Amino acid sequence: MPACYLPHPAAPACPLPLYGSRVPAGFPSPADDYLEGQLDLNRYLIDDSAACFMVRVSGDSMQGAGILDGDLLVINRSLAARHGHIVLAVVEGDFTVKRLHQQGGRTALLPDNPAYPPIDIGPGQELHIWGVVSACVRRTLP
């Protein structure tokens, strides 16, 4: 089972200032001093605290989806996994994070890195979807 991080029920909210203007990632522009309000990251990232948990990523098979080694993923167990969703799955007893592919009667778990092969789910093979990845959190400084 992956390492899980659950919010402590008594943990106080920690809202941060949220500015209404978007910050360009290209050429700099003058900053707006417009404060839109406050943002509580728990409320922003977690839709249903009773159905969500977090896991830390190991490996680079999902780097094309922007999920990198060491990132934290919010897993939502209340969402129904659909074709194209990134999911936390158990295949034959092993955990993996992959993109769910369900078309033409075929079910597969697809990596977002060409260095890894798809995981085709054959007849009788055990697949359990633990939840849908609803957010990815990354620190840029250690």
Side-chain angles (χ1 to χ4, degrees):
M1 181 170 171
C4 297
Y5 301 91
L6 298 173
H8 189 278
C14 182
L16 301 172
L18 173 65
Y19 289 89
S21 61
R22 294 182 181 257
V23 178
F27 294 104
S29 69
D32 278 345
D33 287 331
Y34 178 69
L35 180 63
E36 182 178 318
Q38 292 190 330
L39 173 69
D40 181 336
L41 289 177
N42 286 323
R43 288 184 179 197
Y44 180 72
L45 296 174
I46 300 170
D47 298 323
D48 180 355
S49 62
C52 291
F53 64 96
M54 297 180 85
V55 296
R56 189 171 300 277
V57 174
S58 174
D60 63 354
S61 70
M62 295 303 290
Q63 69 183 14
I67 299 173
L68 306 179
D69 186 64
D71 287 352
L72 288 172
L73 301 179
V74 176
I75 309 297
N76 189 328
R77 293 186 59 112
S78 70
L79 298 175
R82 296 191 321 253
H83 173 76
H85 280 168
I86 297 174
V87 297
L88 174 63
V90 180
V91 180
E92 299 295 326
D94 293 323
F95 282 93
T96 189
V97 173
K98 299 288 183 281
R99 190 173 303 277
L100 181 62
H101 179 88
Q102 294 178 309
Q103 280 188 327
R106 173 183 177 230
T107 298
L109 297 172
L110 305 179
D112 273 338
N113 181 337
Y116 294 87
I119 300 171
D120 289 307
I121 307 301
Q125 191 170 16
E126 182 186 341
L127 169 66
H128 181 73
I129 305 295
W130 266 51
V132 176
V133 174
S134 61
C136 179
V137 180
R138 175 179 312 122
R139 287 186 57 100
T140 58
L141 293 175

